[in-house]
Amino acid sequence: MLIRPGADTDRPALRTLFLNTRRASWAWLQGETWRLEDFDTVTQDEQIWVAEIDGQLAGFAAVWTRDNFLHHLFVSPDWQGHGVGSALLDKVQSELTDTGSLKCLVQNARALRFYQRHGWRTTARGTSPDGEYWLMHYPVL
């Protein structure tokens, strides 16, 4: 597995991965209005890290580096459970310049457990258009 910076040539595959993974992983949300182009909108000006396995994109992380904010971490359903998410999160954590933060939807219990296993701690609860979320932080030592 190769973790590398995302390139413009990755965008078509990342758009598809983002859309398909949201639909598969966030089944409690109504995804009829989600489009391929959403990826471009929600990751604009963010650092993209991709996980590549045998020439295929298996997942990505998008980070708003100015605030050390992990905005997205998505792993293709075909690659979940194979260490892709952990490898991406390790890369993100290694690049943090200060305490990291993220928001995890409350209903996404699997993701919450994943982040907790990797040292992220819940610090607050809030509400977004996609539902309630946990604000989580990762301390940089």
Side-chain angles (χ1 to χ4, degrees):
M1 179 181 338
L2 173 66
I3 305 296
R4 61 171 177 77
D8 284 340
T9 55
D10 296 322
R11 287 199 170 275
L14 289 171
R15 288 178 188 119
T16 300
L17 188 151
F18 182 58
L19 179 62
N20 292 342
T21 305
R22 274 201 305 176
R23 286 183 174 158
S25 300
W26 295 357
W28 63 89
L29 292 175
Q30 301 297 324
E32 298 86 25
T33 61
W34 295 340
R35 302 289 176 256
L36 289 170
E37 299 78 19
D38 294 344
F39 174 82
D40 299 315
T41 302
V42 300
T43 63
Q44 184 175 348
D45 298 325
E46 295 182 343
Q47 168 66 58
I48 307 292
W49 295 102
V50 297
E52 185 178 321
I53 301 174
D54 296 330
Q56 292 185 346
L57 295 187
F60 76 91
V63 180
W64 185 252
T65 57
R66 195 173 7 195
D67 294 331
N68 290 293
F69 181 75
L70 174 57
H71 192 198
H72 297 285
L73 193 153
F74 281 84
V75 176
S76 168
D78 296 337
W79 289 104
Q80 291 179 10
H82 290 68
V84 174
S86 293
L88 284 164
L89 190 56
D90 287 347
K91 180 60 178 173
V92 168
Q93 291 171 174
S94 75
E95 297 287 324
L96 295 174
T97 59
D98 200 352
T99 299
S101 63
L102 64 82
K103 294 177 182 177
C104 180
L105 293 174
V106 169
Q107 289 198 14
N108 197 347
R110 184 176 180 192
L112 178 63
R113 288 189 305 273
F114 169 79
Y115 292 121
Q116 289 172 331
R117 278 194 317 269
H118 287 276
W120 291 75
R121 298 293 171 246
T122 305
T123 57
R125 192 167 174 157
T127 303
S128 74
D130 289 326
E132 290 187 70
Y133 64 83
W134 293 110
L135 178 63
M136 303 183 80
H137 286 99
Y138 182 83
V140 173
L141 304 176

